[in-house]
Amino acid sequence: SIEWEDAGMDRLHGAPESLAYIRALNAITPPDAAFDAAFSSE
């Protein structure tokens, strides 16, 4: 999800830049445990 806050930025420039950034984040490997498991007291 991309939140567009810069109304002055041209979409033809900002959208491809944002897409490249998001695609780079896909290289992050998700953790093995669920988020809520980190707070489990068991």
Side-chain angles (χ1 to χ4, degrees), residues 36-42:
D36 291 343
F39 302 101
S40 177
S41 60
E42 294 177 17

Side-chain angles (χ1 to χ4, degrees), residues 13-29:
H13 173 75
E17 183 179 299
S18 297
L19 179 60
Y21 177 75
I22 294 298
R23 283 185 172 158
L25 292 177
N26 281 337
I28 298 171
T29 305

